[in-house]
Amino acid sequence: MPYSIKKDLCISCYACEDQCPTKAISHNEEGEFFIDPTVCVECEGFYEEPQCLAICPIDGCIVKLSEVEEV
Amino acid sequence: MSGCHSKQCGLGSDDLSFLPEDIRRKVENHPCYSQEAHHFYARMHVAVAPACNIQCNYCNRKYDCANESRPGVVSELLTPEEAAKKVLAVAMEIPQLTVVGIAGPGDPLANPERTFRTFELIKEKAPDIKLCLSTNGLVLDKYINKIKDLEIDHVTITINAVSVDTASKIYPWIFYNHRRYRDKEAAKILLEKQYEGLQACVENGILVKVNTVFVPEINGEEIPELSKKVRSMGAFLHNIMPYVEGEGTAFSKAGIRPPTPQELKEMQEKCEGNMNLMRHCRQCRADAIGLLGEDRGQEFTKDKLSKININYDPNWRKQIHEEIEKEREKLRKARELLFGETENEGPKVLVAVASKGNMLVNEHFGTAKEFLIYEVSAKGAKFIHHRKVTPYCHGSISCLEGENILEDTIAKLSDCKAIIAAKIGFEPRDVLKQRNIDCVDEFAYLSIDEALARYYKKYVLKEEVPVGTNGG
């Protein structure tokens, strides 16, 4: 299950986008960041832990896509 | 290093003559590295580095208010190209600008591409501007060659602890080698990397300033040891800064308090024997512009920059700097005459001065946003630190609110014997007199040193001072 960024919590710090090994993360001109669920592999095969989650400074900002959909 | 340090001599300036020539040239017009220079030269930070690789308990990255001034905060993020353009525009608008730093709002080295691209562009277009970098040190050793290649001569590392225990109370986690480390494991790695980074800079001839956030309950006991350690490792300057309470930070939620001005002064005195201490830091925002006490960032927003035509002229800037140096030299000579040699030190008094730059008494009491605090004796004036206040005069008719502000200002200056400003109104004058604080505006527009010397002789030693000896 890929990850997703909660827009209301994101501070647009670019850290996740810089770290993503599959370039699944991008942003628009308004500084909103998105994870492309078809590209995110949760860093499997690259690193031990999802890089976006490991560097994000805001608790609860990056969550499993399923958690967003449930809400 | 031998001979006479400025602070032992007791002169008001930071006399840099004891430094080797190459180092003196690097710092003499750097407002952060030279106390005297900060009266004359300006700095700017460009906010190109949003990402961070550690979490500090005194930092809340969510908060950005234009009225707030502290590290980590920024209003408008720039691309490297926008940043370089902004630097050229500011350098022509404020020719006193000598230094451009990258300090965040995250950590510059957690944004290596954006940070180094920005420095490359500035170096290419304005090679006369000094480059600075301020980092938490976690990956500093990794980029040391890049820093050296770009001739970034000044690196600031924020180091807040010596022991892992203390560090773990400040840093809940770090992101290192593609992993998040927590608690003591994180603290241990971070400390090791910070001290390694410091060593790598020193070995490569890069001047290092160490910043320490002083949080009395957390690292207060350890700071004197930290100061000794970084000095012995070759840091050029130690800057002990008060922790600034920020909304929503872990420290703020836990009720951790900032140090009082007196606690800060005591801590600086405790560490002073060890090394050069920076006392004039204003803890500026990651996008601050201007002299240290001011922030003209709002004049140079992206929107306004798009309308500015820039013709960068290093020769014109050089001329302005030469004029500033002539003025500095004049003030230096005047200072030597004023305090001169004396056996008797006389009583030491604290004096608050209102200035908005150029080392002059040129600010009114009511409009001052800060006061410079000096310790004055018959041997000289020593700068202690600045104290921020809310300006008492807003130009409004009603002064009801002003009374509370005045009380607050007086409370902050209660240990001072005198206030020296370009003008002090009747109302505050009456209140200050009742508190036994001398109100002195007769030295308006003189240099700070001359005003302090004249004040001391006339009011403390009660000597007759001839008018118009110097200072011109």
Side-chain angles (χ1 to χ4, degrees), chain B residues 77-272:
Chain B
L77 199 66
L78 303 172
T79 64
E81 287 71 25
E82 287 166 341
K85 189 178 174 196
K86 183 172 177 174
V87 167
L88 299 183
V90 172
M92 290 306 289
E93 204 61 39
I94 308 176
Q96 300 95 320
L97 181 90
T98 51
V99 174
V100 173
I102 299 181
D107 188 85
L109 299 179
N111 307 259
E113 283 173 24
R114 287 181 282 269
T115 293
F116 292 124
R117 179 70 190 137
T118 304
F119 281 140
E120 278 163 11
L121 289 170
I122 298 169
K123 191 171 159 60
E124 187 187 309
K125 291 172 180 153
D128 60 321
I129 290 176
K130 287 180 201 296
L131 305 176
C132 272
L133 180 76
S134 184
T135 175
N136 60 43
L138 180 60
V139 290
L140 178 55
D141 61 345
K142 187 174 157 188
Y143 293 106
I144 202 76
N145 289 329
K146 188 79 188 159
I147 290 170
K148 212 182 161 191
D149 290 346
L150 281 165
E151 295 176 272
I152 299 166
D153 281 337
H154 307 264
V155 168
T156 296
I157 315 172
T158 301
I159 306 181
N160 294 322
V162 178
S163 72
V164 171
D165 268 351
T166 300
S168 69
K169 289 179 197 158
I170 301 170
Y171 310 103
W173 59 262
I174 64 168
F175 178 83
Y176 184 65
N177 277 347
H178 300 285
R179 263 194 64 190
R180 179 177 285 207
Y181 293 86
R182 294 171 198 278
D183 306 319
K184 291 200 176 167
E185 202 184 1
K188 185 169 182 285
I189 297 170
L190 180 60
L191 283 184
E192 278 171 14
K193 299 311 290 179
Q194 288 175 329
Y195 289 107
E196 276 171 36
L198 165 57
Q199 196 175 354
C201 286
V202 173
E203 282 167 4
N204 283 281
I206 297 160
L207 282 186
V208 179
K209 169 159 73 69
V210 171
N211 277 358
T212 299
V213 181
F214 173 26
V215 195
E217 296 158 77
I218 304 288
N219 63 358
E221 302 249 313
E222 213 162 284
I223 290 179
E225 188 188 341
L226 192 156
S227 199
K228 243 183 231 165
K229 181 169 177 171
V230 298
R231 161 74 166 167
S232 72
M233 290 180 70
F236 177 74
L237 198 64
H238 191 198
N239 175 23
I240 301 168
M241 326 181 285
Y243 149 59
V244 182
E245 209 169 3
E247 198 179 308
T249 64
F251 277 173
S252 169
K253 285 178 191 163
I256 304 285
R257 64 172 183 88
T260 63
Q262 281 72 22
E263 275 178 315
L264 179 64
K265 181 171 178 277
E266 277 167 32
M267 181 58 81
Q268 288 173 332
E269 274 160 10
K270 230 185 248 178
C271 299
E272 191 159 49

Side-chain angles (χ1 to χ4, degrees), chain A residues 8-15 18-19 47-49 51 53-59, chain B residues 49-53 55 60-62 77 110-111 114 173-175 177-181:
Chain A
D8 55 327
L9 291 177
C10 176
I11 60 162
S12 310
C13 77
Y14 289 67
D18 289 352
Q19 295 300 328
Y47 302 111
E48 278 177 33
E49 42 188 305
Q51 297 297 287
L53 193 60
I55 200 168
C56 179
I58 308 294
D59 285 341
Chain B
C52 196
N53 49 10
Q55 177 67 50
N60 175 10
R61 298 289 315 285
K62 252 191 122 58
L77 199 66
N111 307 259
R114 287 181 282 269
W173 59 262
I174 64 168
F175 178 83
N177 277 347
H178 300 285
R179 263 194 64 190
R180 179 177 285 207
Y181 293 86

